[in-house]
Amino acid sequence: MEILLTVIVTFFAGMGAGLGTGFAGMSAAAVISPLLITFLNMDPYMAVGVALSSDVLASAVSAYTYGKNKNLDIRNGLIMMGSVLAFTVVGSFVSRLVPPSAMGNFSVFMTFLLGIKFIVRPVMTTKESMQEVSAKKRALQSVICGIMIGFICGFVGAGGGMMMLLILTAVLGYELKTAVGTSVFIMTFTALTGAVSHFAIGGMPDILVWVLCIAFTFIWARIAAVFANKAAPKQSGD
């Protein structure tokens, strides 16, 4: 019965995370961490590690699909990725110093707030608007925003991808598909850094839960990314 519950929880966690990653560039941890903490009573620190490691392949396959469809800005993405990676390690270390109960509650609360903000403020930008921001200003914004995103991603493992999507569109003026593609590209490396940091500091998680989350998230992320790139983006005048 316990194994059945594990399979059911990880399946829905992987499905939600994969669809969120493939369609919206959302961090898989935004879905996986709360479910593992709530239904499998997993230690919050371990849950974040499992979620981040699940995010690696899911984000990688999504980034590949978006890149193949020319919806990925690697050059500017690398600038933000540098500061994100550095502060993901810092956030991961700091999270180990926080009591598990407080960290678990903060993870769920943070996910809720970011979800509400994403729904209330949908993105309606175009590729033409991407040219309105100067390269120098975009680079500076990328570094500053990357520091905040990286710390939060490493600390709670939730909201990194969603925050990047919002910043790439609202602050840096990216078109939606390019923003999603660039977001999952950055999240591939951010999640890898965060996962390695978590497991190096806290040890390995439950292998069955770990493998199932990675597999289910990967499958659904691939499906979502393919469909997302075939869809025509809705313009503000539609």
Side-chain angles (χ1 to χ4, degrees), residues 85-162:
L85 286 176
F87 278 81
T88 294
V89 177
V90 176
S92 179
F93 177 76
V94 173
S95 68
R96 191 56 177 170
L97 306 178
V98 178
S101 58
M103 183 182 165
N105 292 334
F106 185 70
S107 177
V108 175
F109 181 66
M110 191 70 177
T111 301
F112 174 75
L113 288 182
L114 288 172
I116 293 297
K117 183 173 178 58
F118 183 72
I119 293 173
V120 171
R121 298 188 62 182
V123 179
M124 292 295 182
T125 53
T126 63
K127 282 192 174 181
E128 287 73 19
S129 66
M130 291 176 60
Q131 309 303 320
E132 298 177 3
V133 181
S134 67
K136 184 177 180 180
K137 181 179 179 181
R138 180 171 293 166
L140 180 60
Q141 290 174 329
S142 294
V143 172
I144 296 174
C145 295
I147 290 175
M148 295 186 294
I149 294 170
F151 183 82
I152 292 176
C153 182
F155 185 72
V156 299
M162 192 179 297

Coordinates of all heavy atoms in Angstrom, one line a residue, residues 85-162:
L85 N 23.4 30.5 -10.7 CA 24.1 29.4 -10.3 C 24.8 29.6 -8.9 O 24.8 28.8 -8.0 CB 25.1 28.9 -11.3 CG 24.5 28.2 -12.6 CD1 25.6 27.9 -13.6 CD2 23.8 26.9 -12.2
A86 N 25.5 30.8 -8.9 CA 26.3 31.1 -7.7 C 25.4 31.2 -6.5 O 25.8 30.7 -5.4 CB 27.0 32.4 -7.9
F87 N 24.3 31.9 -6.6 CA 23.5 32.1 -5.4 C 22.5 30.9 -5.1 O 21.9 30.8 -4.1 CB 22.7 33.4 -5.5 CG 23.6 34.6 -5.1 CD1 24.5 35.1 -6.0 CD2 23.5 35.1 -3.8 CE1 25.3 36.2 -5.6 CE2 24.3 36.1 -3.4 CZ 25.2 36.7 -4.3
T88 N 22.4 29.9 -6.1 CA 21.7 28.7 -5.8 C 22.4 27.9 -4.7 O 21.9 27.3 -3.8 CB 21.5 27.9 -7.0 OG1 20.7 28.5 -8.0 CG2 20.8 26.5 -6.7
V89 N 23.8 27.9 -4.8 CA 24.6 27.2 -3.8 C 24.5 27.9 -2.5 O 24.4 27.2 -1.4 CB 26.1 27.2 -4.3 CG1 27.0 26.6 -3.2 CG2 26.2 26.5 -5.6
V90 N 24.5 29.2 -2.5 CA 24.3 30.0 -1.2 C 23.0 29.7 -0.6 O 22.9 29.4 0.6 CB 24.5 31.5 -1.5 CG1 24.2 32.3 -0.2 CG2 25.8 31.9 -2.0
G91 N 21.9 29.7 -1.4 CA 20.6 29.4 -0.9 C 20.5 28.0 -0.3 O 19.8 27.8 0.7
S92 N 21.1 27.1 -1.0 CA 21.0 25.7 -0.6 C 21.7 25.5 0.8 O 21.2 24.8 1.6 CB 21.7 24.8 -1.6 OG 21.7 23.4 -1.2
F93 N 22.8 26.2 1.0 CA 23.6 26.1 2.2 C 22.8 26.7 3.4 O 22.7 26.2 4.4 CB 24.9 26.8 2.1 CG 25.7 26.8 3.4 CD1 26.4 25.6 3.8 CD2 25.8 27.9 4.1 CE1 27.1 25.6 5.0 CE2 26.5 27.9 5.3 CZ 27.2 26.8 5.8
V94 N 22.2 27.9 3.1 CA 21.4 28.6 4.1 C 20.2 27.8 4.5 O 19.8 27.8 5.7 CB 21.0 30.0 3.6 CG1 20.1 30.7 4.6 CG2 22.2 30.9 3.4
S95 N 19.6 27.1 3.5 CA 18.3 26.4 3.8 C 18.6 25.2 4.8 O 17.7 24.8 5.6 CB 17.7 25.8 2.5 OG 18.6 24.8 2.0
R96 N 19.8 24.7 4.8 CA 20.2 23.6 5.7 C 20.2 24.1 7.2 O 20.1 23.3 8.1 CB 21.5 23.0 5.3 CG 21.9 21.7 6.0 CD 20.8 20.7 5.8 NE 21.2 19.4 6.4 CZ 20.3 18.4 6.6 NH1 19.1 18.5 6.1 NH2 20.7 17.3 7.1
L97 N 20.4 25.4 7.4 CA 20.5 26.0 8.7 C 19.1 26.3 9.3 O 19.0 26.7 10.5 CB 21.3 27.3 8.7 CG 22.7 27.1 8.1 CD1 23.4 28.5 8.1 CD2 23.5 26.1 8.9
V98 N 18.1 26.2 8.4 CA 16.7 26.6 8.9 C 16.0 25.3 9.3 O 16.1 24.2 8.7 CB 15.9 27.2 7.7 CG1 14.5 27.5 8.1 CG2 16.6 28.4 7.2
P99 N 15.2 25.4 10.4 CA 14.4 24.2 10.9 C 13.5 23.7 9.8 O 12.9 24.4 9.0 CB 13.5 24.8 12.0 CG 14.4 26.0 12.5 CD 15.0 26.6 11.3
P100 N 13.4 22.3 9.7 CA 12.6 21.7 8.6 C 11.2 22.2 8.6 O 10.6 22.4 7.5 CB 12.7 20.2 9.0 CG 14.0 20.1 9.7 CD 14.1 21.4 10.5
S101 N 10.5 22.3 9.7 CA 9.1 22.7 9.7 C 8.9 24.1 9.1 O 8.0 24.4 8.3 CB 8.6 22.7 11.1 OG 9.3 23.6 12.0
A102 N 9.8 25.0 9.5 CA 9.7 26.4 8.9 C 10.0 26.4 7.5 O 9.3 27.1 6.7 CB 10.7 27.3 9.7
M103 N 11.0 25.6 7.0 CA 11.3 25.6 5.6 C 10.2 25.0 4.8 O 9.9 25.4 3.7 CB 12.6 24.7 5.4 CG 13.1 24.7 4.0 SD 14.6 23.6 3.9 CE 14.6 23.4 2.1
G104 N 9.6 23.9 5.3 CA 8.5 23.3 4.6 C 7.3 24.2 4.4 O 6.7 24.3 3.3
N105 N 6.9 24.9 5.5 CA 5.8 25.9 5.4 C 6.1 27.0 4.5 O 5.3 27.5 3.7 CB 5.5 26.5 6.8 CG 5.0 25.4 7.8 OD1 4.4 24.5 7.3 ND2 5.2 25.6 9.0
F106 N 7.4 27.5 4.5 CA 7.8 28.6 3.6 C 7.7 28.2 2.1 O 7.4 28.9 1.2 CB 9.2 29.1 4.0 CG 9.7 30.3 3.2 CD1 9.1 31.5 3.4 CD2 10.6 30.2 2.2 CE1 9.5 32.6 2.7 CE2 11.0 31.3 1.5 CZ 10.5 32.5 1.7
S107 N 8.1 26.9 1.9 CA 8.1 26.4 0.5 C 6.7 26.4 -0.1 O 6.4 26.8 -1.2 CB 8.7 24.9 0.5 OG 8.6 24.4 -0.8
V108 N 5.8 25.9 0.7 CA 4.4 25.8 0.3 C 3.8 27.2 0.1 O 3.1 27.5 -0.9 CB 3.5 25.0 1.3 CG1 2.0 25.1 0.9 CG2 4.0 23.6 1.4
F109 N 4.1 28.1 1.1 CA 3.6 29.5 1.0 C 4.2 30.2 -0.2 O 3.4 30.9 -0.9 CB 4.0 30.2 2.3 CG 3.5 31.6 2.4 CD1 2.1 31.9 2.4 CD2 4.4 32.7 2.4 CE1 1.7 33.2 2.5 CE2 3.9 34.0 2.4 CZ 2.6 34.3 2.5
M110 N 5.5 30.1 -0.5 CA 6.1 30.7 -1.6 C 5.5 30.3 -2.9 O 5.3 31.1 -3.8 CB 7.6 30.4 -1.6 CG 8.4 31.3 -2.5 SD 8.5 33.0 -1.9 CE 9.6 33.6 -3.2
T111 N 5.3 29.0 -3.0 CA 4.7 28.4 -4.2 C 3.3 29.0 -4.5 O 2.9 29.3 -5.6 CB 4.6 26.9 -4.1 OG1 5.9 26.3 -3.9 CG2 4.0 26.2 -5.4
F112 N 2.5 29.1 -3.4 CA 1.2 29.7 -3.5 C 1.2 31.1 -4.0 O 0.5 31.5 -4.9 CB 0.5 29.6 -2.2 CG -0.9 30.3 -2.1 CD1 -2.0 29.7 -2.7 CD2 -1.0 31.5 -1.5 CE1 -3.2 30.3 -2.6 CE2 -2.3 32.1 -1.5 CZ -3.4 31.5 -2.0
L113 N 2.0 31.9 -3.4 CA 2.1 33.3 -3.8 C 2.6 33.5 -5.3 O 2.0 34.3 -6.0 CB 3.1 34.1 -2.9 CG 2.7 34.3 -1.5 CD1 3.8 35.1 -0.7 CD2 1.4 35.1 -1.4
L114 N 3.6 32.7 -5.7 CA 4.0 32.9 -7.1 C 3.0 32.4 -8.1 O 2.9 32.9 -9.2 CB 5.3 32.1 -7.2 CG 6.6 32.7 -6.5 CD1 7.8 31.7 -6.6 CD2 6.9 34.0 -7.2
G115 N 2.3 31.3 -7.7 CA 1.2 30.8 -8.5 C 0.1 31.8 -8.8 O -0.3 32.0 -9.9
I116 N -0.3 32.5 -7.7 CA -1.3 33.5 -7.8 C -0.9 34.7 -8.7 O -1.6 35.2 -9.6 CB -1.7 34.1 -6.4 CG1 -2.4 33.0 -5.6 CG2 -2.6 35.3 -6.5 CD1 -3.7 32.5 -6.1
K117 N 0.4 35.1 -8.5 CA 0.9 36.2 -9.3 C 1.0 35.9 -10.8 O 0.7 36.7 -11.6 CB 2.3 36.6 -8.8 CG 2.9 37.8 -9.5 CD 4.2 38.3 -8.8 CE 4.8 39.5 -9.6 NZ 3.9 40.6 -9.7
F118 N 1.4 34.7 -11.1 CA 1.5 34.2 -12.4 C 0.1 34.2 -13.1 O 0.0 34.5 -14.3 CB 2.1 32.8 -12.5 CG 2.4 32.3 -13.9 CD1 3.4 32.9 -14.7 CD2 1.6 31.3 -14.4 CE1 3.6 32.5 -16.0 CE2 1.8 30.9 -15.7 CZ 2.8 31.4 -16.5
I119 N -0.9 33.8 -12.4 CA -2.3 33.7 -13.0 C -2.8 35.1 -13.1 O -3.5 35.4 -14.2 CB -3.2 32.9 -12.0 CG1 -2.7 31.4 -12.0 CG2 -4.6 32.9 -12.5 CD1 -3.4 30.5 -11.0
V120 N -2.6 36.0 -12.2 CA -3.2 37.3 -12.2 C -2.6 38.2 -13.3 O -3.2 39.0 -13.9 CB -3.1 38.0 -10.8 CG1 -3.5 39.4 -10.9 CG2 -4.0 37.3 -9.8
R121 N -1.3 38.0 -13.5 CA -0.6 38.8 -14.5 C 0.0 38.0 -15.7 O 1.1 37.7 -15.7 CB 0.6 39.6 -13.8 CG 0.1 40.5 -12.7 CD 1.3 41.4 -12.2 NE 1.8 42.2 -13.3 CZ 2.8 43.0 -13.2 NH1 3.5 43.1 -12.0 NH2 3.3 43.8 -14.2
P122 N -0.9 37.6 -16.6 CA -0.5 36.8 -17.7 C 0.4 37.6 -18.7 O 0.4 38.9 -18.6 CB -1.8 36.4 -18.5 CG -2.7 37.5 -18.1 CD -2.3 37.9 -16.6
V123 N 1.2 36.9 -19.5 CA 2.2 37.6 -20.3 C 1.7 37.8 -21.7 O 1.2 36.8 -22.3 CB 3.5 36.8 -20.4 CG1 4.5 37.5 -21.3 CG2 4.1 36.6 -19.0
M124 N 1.7 39.0 -22.3 CA 1.2 39.2 -23.6 C 2.2 40.0 -24.5 O 1.9 40.9 -25.2 CB -0.1 40.0 -23.5 CG -1.3 39.2 -23.0 SD -1.8 37.9 -24.0 CE -3.1 37.2 -23.0
T125 N 3.5 39.8 -24.3 CA 4.5 40.5 -25.1 C 4.8 39.8 -26.4 O 4.4 38.7 -26.7 CB 5.8 40.6 -24.3 OG1 6.2 39.3 -23.9 CG2 5.7 41.4 -23.1
T126 N 5.5 40.5 -27.3 CA 5.9 40.0 -28.6 C 7.4 40.0 -28.8 O 8.1 40.6 -28.1 CB 5.2 40.8 -29.8 OG1 5.7 42.2 -29.7 CG2 3.7 40.9 -29.6
K127 N 7.8 39.4 -29.9 CA 9.3 39.3 -30.2 C 9.8 40.7 -30.5 O 11.0 41.0 -30.2 CB 9.6 38.3 -31.3 CG 9.6 36.9 -30.9 CD 10.1 36.0 -31.9 CE 10.2 34.5 -31.4 NZ 10.8 33.6 -32.4
E128 N 8.9 41.5 -31.1 CA 9.4 42.9 -31.5 C 9.7 43.7 -30.2 O 10.7 44.5 -30.2 CB 8.3 43.6 -32.2 CG 8.1 43.1 -33.7 CD 7.4 41.8 -33.8 OE1 6.8 41.4 -32.8 OE2 7.5 41.1 -34.8
S129 N 9.0 43.5 -29.1 CA 9.2 44.3 -27.9 C 10.6 43.9 -27.2 O 11.1 44.6 -26.4 CB 8.1 44.0 -26.9 OG 8.1 42.7 -26.5
M130 N 11.1 42.7 -27.6 CA 12.4 42.3 -27.0 C 13.5 43.2 -27.4 O 14.5 43.4 -26.7 CB 12.7 40.9 -27.5 CG 11.8 39.8 -26.9 SD 12.2 38.2 -27.6 CE 13.9 38.0 -27.1
Q131 N 13.4 43.9 -28.6 CA 14.4 44.8 -29.1 C 14.4 46.1 -28.4 O 15.4 46.9 -28.6 CB 14.3 45.0 -30.6 CG 14.1 43.7 -31.4 CD 15.3 42.7 -31.2 OE1 16.4 43.2 -31.1 NE2 15.0 41.4 -31.1
E132 N 13.4 46.4 -27.6 CA 13.3 47.7 -27.0 C 14.2 47.9 -25.8 O 14.5 49.1 -25.3 CB 11.9 48.0 -26.6 CG 10.9 48.0 -27.7 CD 9.4 48.1 -27.3 OE1 9.2 48.3 -26.0 OE2 8.5 48.1 -28.1
V133 N 14.8 46.8 -25.3 CA 15.7 46.9 -24.1 C 17.1 46.9 -24.6 O 17.5 46.0 -25.3 CB 15.4 45.8 -23.1 CG1 16.3 45.9 -21.9 CG2 13.9 45.8 -22.7
S134 N 17.9 47.8 -24.1 CA 19.3 47.8 -24.5 C 20.1 46.7 -23.9 O 19.7 46.1 -22.9 CB 20.0 49.1 -24.1 OG 20.1 49.2 -22.7
A135 N 21.2 46.2 -24.6 CA 21.9 45.1 -24.2 C 22.6 45.3 -22.8 O 22.6 44.4 -22.0 CB 23.0 44.7 -25.3
K136 N 23.1 46.5 -22.6 CA 23.8 46.8 -21.4 C 22.8 46.8 -20.2 O 23.1 46.2 -19.1 CB 24.4 48.2 -21.4 CG 25.2 48.6 -20.2 CD 25.9 50.0 -20.4 CE 26.7 50.3 -19.1 NZ 27.4 51.7 -19.3
K137 N 21.6 47.4 -20.4 CA 20.6 47.4 -19.3 C 20.1 46.0 -19.0 O 19.9 45.6 -17.9 CB 19.4 48.3 -19.8 CG 18.3 48.4 -18.7 CD 17.2 49.3 -19.2 CE 16.0 49.3 -18.1 NZ 14.9 50.2 -18.6
R138 N 19.9 45.2 -20.1 CA 19.4 43.8 -19.9 C 20.5 43.0 -19.2 O 20.1 42.2 -18.3 CB 19.2 43.2 -21.3 CG 18.7 41.8 -21.2 CD 18.2 41.3 -22.6 NE 17.0 42.0 -23.0 CZ 16.5 42.0 -24.3 NH1 17.1 41.4 -25.2 NH2 15.4 42.7 -24.6
A139 N 21.7 43.2 -19.5 CA 22.8 42.4 -18.8 C 22.8 42.8 -17.3 O 22.9 41.9 -16.4 CB 24.1 42.7 -19.4
L140 N 22.7 44.0 -16.9 CA 22.7 44.4 -15.5 C 21.5 43.9 -14.8 O 21.6 43.4 -13.7 CB 22.7 46.0 -15.4 CG 22.7 46.6 -14.0 CD1 24.0 46.1 -13.3 CD2 22.7 48.1 -14.1
Q141 N 20.3 44.0 -15.4 CA 19.1 43.5 -14.8 C 19.2 42.0 -14.7 O 18.7 41.4 -13.7 CB 17.9 43.8 -15.7 CG 17.6 45.3 -15.7 CD 16.5 45.6 -16.7 OE1 16.3 45.0 -17.8 NE2 15.7 46.6 -16.4
S142 N 19.8 41.3 -15.6 CA 20.0 39.8 -15.5 C 20.8 39.4 -14.3 O 20.5 38.4 -13.7 CB 20.6 39.3 -16.8 OG 19.8 39.5 -17.9
V143 N 21.9 40.1 -14.1 CA 22.7 39.8 -12.9 C 22.0 40.0 -11.6 O 22.0 39.1 -10.7 CB 24.0 40.7 -12.9 CG1 24.8 40.4 -11.7 CG2 24.9 40.3 -14.1
I144 N 21.3 41.1 -11.5 CA 20.6 41.5 -10.2 C 19.5 40.5 -10.0 O 19.3 39.9 -8.9 CB 20.1 42.9 -10.3 CG1 21.3 43.9 -10.3 CG2 19.2 43.2 -9.0 CD1 20.8 45.3 -10.5
C145 N 18.7 40.3 -11.0 CA 17.6 39.3 -10.9 C 18.0 37.9 -10.7 O 17.4 37.1 -10.0 CB 16.7 39.4 -12.2 SG 15.9 41.0 -12.4
G146 N 19.1 37.6 -11.3 CA 19.7 36.2 -11.2 C 20.1 35.9 -9.7 O 20.0 34.8 -9.3
I147 N 20.6 36.9 -9.0 CA 21.0 36.7 -7.6 C 19.8 36.4 -6.8 O 19.8 35.4 -6.0 CB 21.7 38.0 -7.1 CG1 23.1 38.2 -7.8 CG2 21.8 38.0 -5.6 CD1 23.7 39.5 -7.4
M148 N 18.7 37.1 -7.0 CA 17.5 36.8 -6.2 C 16.9 35.5 -6.5 O 16.5 34.7 -5.7 CB 16.5 38.0 -6.4 CG 16.9 39.3 -5.9 SD 15.6 40.6 -6.1 CE 15.5 40.7 -7.9
I149 N 16.8 35.2 -7.8 CA 16.2 33.9 -8.3 C 17.1 32.7 -7.8 O 16.5 31.7 -7.3 CB 16.2 33.9 -9.8 CG1 15.2 34.9 -10.3 CG2 15.7 32.5 -10.3 CD1 15.2 35.1 -11.8
G150 N 18.4 32.8 -7.9 CA 19.2 31.7 -7.5 C 19.1 31.4 -6.0 O 19.0 30.3 -5.6
F151 N 19.1 32.5 -5.2 CA 19.0 32.3 -3.7 C 17.7 31.6 -3.4 O 17.6 30.7 -2.6 CB 19.1 33.6 -3.0 CG 19.1 33.5 -1.5 CD1 20.2 33.1 -0.8 CD2 17.9 33.6 -0.8 CE1 20.2 33.0 0.6 CE2 17.8 33.5 0.6 CZ 19.0 33.1 1.3
I152 N 16.6 32.1 -4.0 CA 15.3 31.5 -3.7 C 15.2 30.0 -4.1 O 14.6 29.2 -3.5 CB 14.1 32.3 -4.3 CG1 14.1 33.7 -3.6 CG2 12.8 31.6 -4.2 CD1 13.1 34.7 -4.2
C153 N 15.7 29.8 -5.3 CA 15.7 28.4 -5.9 C 16.5 27.5 -5.0 O 16.0 26.4 -4.7 CB 16.3 28.4 -7.3 SG 16.2 26.8 -8.1
G154 N 17.6 27.9 -4.5 CA 18.4 27.0 -3.7 C 17.9 26.9 -2.3 O 18.0 25.8 -1.6
F155 N 17.2 27.9 -1.8 CA 16.7 27.9 -0.4 C 15.4 27.1 -0.3 O 15.3 26.2 0.6 CB 16.3 29.4 0.0 CG 15.9 29.5 1.4 CD1 16.8 29.3 2.5 CD2 14.6 29.7 1.7 CE1 16.4 29.4 3.8 CE2 14.2 29.8 3.1 CZ 15.1 29.6 4.1
V156 N 14.4 27.3 -1.2 CA 13.2 26.5 -1.1 C 12.9 25.6 -2.3 O 12.0 24.8 -2.2 CB 12.0 27.5 -1.0 CG1 12.1 28.4 0.3 CG2 11.8 28.4 -2.2
G157 N 13.7 25.7 -3.3 CA 13.6 24.9 -4.5 C 12.3 25.1 -5.2 O 11.8 24.3 -6.0
A158 N 11.6 26.2 -5.0 CA 10.4 26.5 -5.6 C 10.3 27.9 -6.1 O 10.8 28.8 -5.5 CB 9.2 26.3 -4.6
G159 N 9.8 28.1 -7.3 CA 9.6 29.4 -7.8 C 10.7 29.9 -8.7 O 10.5 31.0 -9.4
G160 N 11.8 29.2 -8.8 CA 12.9 29.7 -9.6 C 12.5 29.9 -11.1 O 12.7 31.0 -11.7
G161 N 11.9 28.8 -11.7 CA 11.6 28.9 -13.1 C 10.4 29.9 -13.3 O 10.5 30.7 -14.3
M162 N 9.5 30.0 -12.4 CA 8.4 30.9 -12.6 C 8.8 32.3 -12.4 O 8.4 33.2 -13.2 CB 7.3 30.6 -11.5 CG 6.0 31.3 -11.7 SD 4.7 30.8 -10.5 CE 4.6 29.1 -10.8

